[in-house]
Amino acid sequence: MMFAISLGADGAELRPLEPGHAAEFLEHMDRGRESIGQYIKVADAVTDLESSRTYLREYAEKAAADTGRIYGIRLDGKLVGSVLFRTMDLALGVAEAGCWLEPSAAGRGLATRAARVIIDWAIRERGIHRVEWLVASPDLASIAVARRLGMTKDGVLREFYPHRGQRLDVEVWSVLAPDWRAGS
């Protein structure tokens, strides 16, 4: 079932990404590969049509099992980014959200608006109590999104994330359901 959620007057919208979007997802990744891959592994994982299909199939399986979700951020119908729940544990009440944008879409608040929609859904509709945002410490744009979402920095996992030959510190940001509801 396909749906679209408006992200504002600029025509941006949020839609689920499914295996049938593999070619479009690969084109999007190719446009933003250098920027997206700076801090996250998806750019190195999605390199051809088959790996794109596999990546989206894994998220379709997570959605079916209720353990994750991925959505496309579209501007004028064009896929320019994604927002996702990398993990979602309903029994524990914890989910890890994340996002990326290709450079042409940066600076418009798209990631923040899209993340706000899925976090609100997870807390209000699915009963998630804690939404986490794990971000490489040098990724200032993603840290800015966490701040705009009203998240709190819980701490730093030193040299936690091996990426492209180095180990990056990872900041853990989160928002709790009562704080989210109070801030909405």
Side-chain angles (χ1 to χ4, degrees):
M1 176 167 86
M2 283 299 296
F3 66 85
I5 296 173
S6 172
L7 293 176
D10 59 0
E13 61 182 16
L14 194 61
R15 290 188 190 179
L17 279 175
E18 298 170 349
H21 299 117
E24 180 184 26
F25 189 66
L26 176 61
E27 290 169 10
H28 154 64
M29 200 53 59
D30 285 343
R31 286 192 302 270
R33 186 170 310 283
E34 186 178 322
S35 172
I36 294 166
Q38 217 174 347
Y39 302 113
I40 60 175
K41 295 180 190 250
V42 64
D44 297 337
V46 176
T47 57
D48 57 24
L49 192 55
E50 187 52 38
S51 60
S52 181
R53 194 174 291 114
T54 297
Y55 187 84
L56 293 177
R57 191 178 310 115
E58 288 170 359
Y59 272 92
E61 290 167 4
K62 284 183 178 189
D66 226 5
T67 59
R69 299 272 191 290
I70 189 168
Y71 303 91
I73 300 170
R74 296 178 180 276
L75 197 52
D76 300 320
K78 179 180 168 187
L79 181 63
V80 296
S82 289
V83 65
L84 63 124
F85 285 115
R86 204 181 68 71
T87 61
M88 203 161 93
D89 185 327
L90 296 178
L92 196 58
V94 176
E96 180 195 336
C99 71
W100 64 80
L101 292 170
E102 59 187 65
S104 67
R108 302 169 187 234
L110 293 171
T112 303
R113 288 185 271 160
R116 191 170 281 127
V117 167
I118 70 165
I119 291 168
D120 199 64
W121 170 81
I123 289 172
R124 294 181 191 281
E125 304 295 324
R126 302 316 308 279
I128 293 292
H129 178 75
R130 175 185 168 87
V131 177
E132 297 179 335
W133 191 269
L134 275 60
V135 54
S137 291
D139 189 351
L140 301 180
S142 189
I143 290 168
V145 172
R147 282 194 173 108
R148 285 193 295 273
L149 290 168
M151 292 186 163
T152 298
K153 182 177 173 180
D154 295 330
V156 177
L157 303 171
R158 298 178 308 132
E159 295 186 9
F160 179 77
Y161 183 58
H163 186 61
R164 295 186 172 177
Q166 58 181 333
R167 294 195 70 88
L168 300 173
D169 289 354
V170 170
E171 296 185 11
V172 179
W173 291 74
S174 69
V175 65
L176 303 179
D179 298 331
W180 182 264
R181 287 187 191 101
S184 294

